[in-house]
Amino acid sequence: MNHDDLAHWSKIAADWARDYHAGLRDVPVRPNIKPGSIASQLPAKAPDAPEDMSTIFADFERLVPSNTTHWQHPRFFAYFPANASPASMLAEQLANAIAGQAMLWQTAPAANEIEAVMIGWLANAMGLPDTFTGTIHDSATTTTLSAVLTMRERALDWAGLTDGLSGQPRLRIYASAQTHSSVDKAVRVAGIGQNNLVKIPTTSDYGMDPAALDAAIRADIAAGHLPAGVVLCTGGTSIGACDPIDACIKVAKAHNLFVHVDAAWAGSAMICEEFRPLWEGIEGADSIVFNPHKWLGVQFDCAIQFMPDPSEQIRTLGLRPAYLNTQGQDEIVNYNEWTVPLGRRFRALKIWFTLRAYGLDGLRERIRNHVAWSLEARDAIALIPGCLLTTSPRLSLFTFSYIDDVETAALLERINADGRIYLTQTTHDERFVIRVQVGQFDCTRDDVMMIPTVIRDLIA
Ligand SMILES: *Cc1c(COP(=O)(O)O)cnc(C)c1O
């Protein structure tokens, strides 16, 4: 296969892609198959002789689509969708064709400069002060890890990088129980340890209690521990909990602690001014993460980290061996010094294409529709006998139960075997509940109202 063959097959792939997306509403969102059923159809060993692309492509068509959970299905209401707008897919094809490596400015000048401009566009669109800068990571998980490593080193005056953590006081990080498991992973990987992630109690609306945060920090200081930072959430994954950002940042700053805010899915909604009260006080944060690959339609993977001052993170993660120097350019921004991996994909291109192809107004309209339609679906579900709303919508996420835990789990299983829609579960106040998350890029009101229809059909 050479580049001429690539051009030929790319056209076939483009037509295949159009038909695939056009047909999604007619297939189950999630395939009804058993683990192992796909691997068992593949040969045990790689071929010694080259194979024809037509044979390979035929096998792809035979094996992959029917055994795929369709994340771009308009009735995907599970987790949070990983949206890929057509414009972002096109940009991804072009980035793939260039196949550059954007670790340094000089290894990818266009990628790096477009990245800087996109960070500015997004910060402005979300109402953040002009002072915020930032970078693109692969995921919210590695972004939060980067922020936690920065908290650690800032608290240790950067001694951890050279001397390690032994002999240091116990580092302490604070978050609520509603924050995502990526925070747990970050403290584990950062060598801080799960037991030093202090889960702060929440108030009746499941946001962190600032007074409890203050008390926990004071108790740790009295015990000789070393508080290092606070991770807050705007839109927790389970039920969409939002910490009171302003009050919690005030507490953190009174103790000189670094604050990172995880707004992975809800952050995109901040392009709409009316949702910004959910993170009031955000301009006081030291670091913010959100995933345009969730609600902005920028193809996975794409996580944005905003920071008013990146210097502490660069001091934590940046290394400049001789072979990574750019001769004569000491002051240039090299984003690999802001992130964990050295190598970086050209992710800014798909942001550029998406923001221009739909405009902020087009993206705002989608988000507003999703929020409005989720309210309609909630109202319809509330009328179904046996269904009980367990949490009210935070933006476009709500939860409900059906009779009891056992019946709720059984209903969820029937919903996903039915295939018209796809929902997932969480545990809330020790109950098994079903999550409804409306956010698929191409979903319509009819798609969303299929949720109560399917529930009614299945319990009739
Ligand atoms: C999705 C999500 C994450 C994890 O995102 P990745 O990019 O997959 O690492 C973290 N926090 C919240 C609130 C999320 O919704």
Side-chain angles (χ1 to χ4, degrees):
M1 172 123 183
N2 59 28
H3 286 284
D4 289 333
D5 300 325
L6 175 61
H8 171 74
W9 282 100
S10 293
K11 289 172 192 113
I12 293 173
D15 288 340
W16 181 90
R18 183 201 50 220
D19 295 345
Y20 168 75
H21 286 278
L24 279 179
R25 276 196 181 82
D26 303 325
V27 297
V29 188
R30 198 185 69 168
N32 227 334
I33 51 170
K34 295 256 176 317
S37 61
I38 302 138
S40 64
Q41 298 182 60
L42 300 178
K45 294 192 182 117
D48 285 316
E51 294 188 61
D52 229 39
M53 186 45 65
S54 51
T55 314
I56 302 170
F57 202 92
D59 282 342
F60 161 78
E61 288 194 285
R62 180 172 60 83
L63 275 178
V64 177
S66 60
N67 291 310
T68 287
T69 299
H70 303 290
W71 281 74
Q72 306 312 318
H73 196 300
R75 293 194 297 268
F76 183 108
F77 304 112
Y79 310 97
F80 198 95
N83 282 311
S85 69
S88 76
M89 290 180 171
L90 179 62
E92 222 29 349
Q93 281 180 28
L94 298 172
N96 285 343
I98 294 171
Q101 219 276 44
M103 60 186 180
L104 303 171
W105 177 85
Q106 74 170 351
T107 64
N112 280 282
E113 295 197 13
I114 294 173
E115 176 162 342
V117 174
M118 288 307 103
I119 295 290
W121 281 16
L122 288 169
N124 176 266
M126 295 165 78
L128 295 172
D130 292 346
T131 45
F132 274 74
T133 167
T135 190
I136 309 176
H137 297 252
D138 55 354
S139 64
T141 300
T142 41
T143 311
T144 295
L145 172 62
S146 303
V148 166
L149 288 167
T150 304
M151 291 175 187
R152 183 190 85 184
E153 287 309 311
R154 185 176 173 271
L156 295 174
D157 197 20
W158 286 273
L161 293 178
T162 45
D163 303 341
L165 301 185
S166 57
Q168 296 290 0
R170 252 174 190 268
L171 288 154
R172 305 285 268 178
I173 305 283
Y174 309 86
S176 92
Q178 292 289 333
T179 45
H180 189 265
S181 59
S182 54
V183 183
D184 303 75
K185 189 177 268 190
V187 297
R188 290 171 178 221
V189 174
I192 293 168
Q194 183 78 61
N195 294 341
N196 293 312
L197 174 61
V198 186
K199 298 274 171 93
I200 304 296
T202 54
T203 56
S204 58
D205 69 352
Y206 303 97
M208 183 187 284
D209 177 356
L213 172 64
D214 189 54
I217 296 169
R218 286 176 193 279
D220 279 345
I221 294 169
H225 302 334
L226 184 56
V230 181
V231 181
L232 302 174
C233 67
T234 297
T237 307
S238 180
I239 61 152
C242 292
D243 293 326
I245 302 292
D246 200 35
C248 292
I249 287 181
K250 284 204 175 86
V251 171
K253 293 295 147 185
H255 296 283
N256 187 30
L257 298 187
F258 188 100
V259 177
H260 171 68
V261 177
D262 177 3
W265 71 265
S268 296
M270 303 310 165
I271 64 170
C272 306
E273 220 173 326
E274 70 270 29
F275 299 131
R276 292 185 197 153
L278 284 177
W279 73 357
E280 200 180 326
I282 192 68
E283 60 284 350
D286 298 298
S287 166
I288 305 164
V289 62
F290 93 104
N291 285 346
H293 72 234
K294 284 181 171 162
W295 219 351
L296 280 192
V298 178
Q299 168 143 14
F300 185 82
D301 52 358
C302 187
I304 300 289
Q305 183 182 21
F306 294 119
M307 292 169 279
D309 173 12
S311 64
E312 291 176 330
Q313 188 158 309
I314 293 170
R315 196 172 161 196
T316 303
L317 299 178
L319 279 172
R320 211 178 274 193
Y323 49 79
L324 292 179
N325 266 337
T326 302
Q327 293 304 328
Q329 299 272 10
D330 287 344
E331 299 312 316
I332 214 92
V333 170
N334 291 315
Y335 284 122
N336 78 77
E337 297 170 3
W338 304 39
T339 58
V340 174
L342 171 62
R344 321 181 71 252
R345 302 201 313 111
F346 185 0
R347 297 191 182 90
L349 194 68
K350 56 194 174 185
I351 304 177
W352 194 40
F353 273 44
T354 301
L355 292 179
R356 296 178 63 192
Y358 306 96
L360 287 172
D361 279 342
L363 298 170
R364 288 185 189 110
E365 187 188 350
R366 279 183 169 77
I367 289 169
R368 286 177 176 138
N369 279 339
H370 296 164
V371 172
W373 296 335
S374 72
L375 292 174
E376 280 190 65
R378 173 205 60 177
D379 292 345
I381 291 171
L383 295 174
I384 300 174
C387 286
L388 177 74
L389 294 169
T390 40
T391 58
S392 50
R394 302 295 206 298
L395 297 167
S396 63
L397 168 64
F398 66 92
T399 64
F400 71 96
S401 65
Y402 177 62
I403 305 177
D404 58 22
D405 281 11
V406 174
E407 290 290 337
T408 308
L411 175 63
L412 180 65
E413 211 161 295
R414 271 181 291 154
I415 289 171
N416 291 335
D418 174 87
R420 280 176 287 174
I421 60 173
Y422 182 25
L423 303 177
T424 47
Q425 74 291 328
T426 190
T427 306
H428 181 66
D429 283 346
E430 287 161 32
R431 296 200 55 182
F432 183 101
V433 299
I434 299 177
R435 291 172 78 254
V436 177
Q437 174 72 274
V438 178
Q440 215 288 322
F441 200 73
D442 286 328
C443 77
T444 63
R445 182 180 171 280
D446 284 352
D447 289 320
V448 177
M449 295 315 282
M450 185 66 87
I451 303 169
T453 302
V454 168
I455 296 169
R456 276 192 300 262
D457 286 355
L458 294 178
I459 65 179

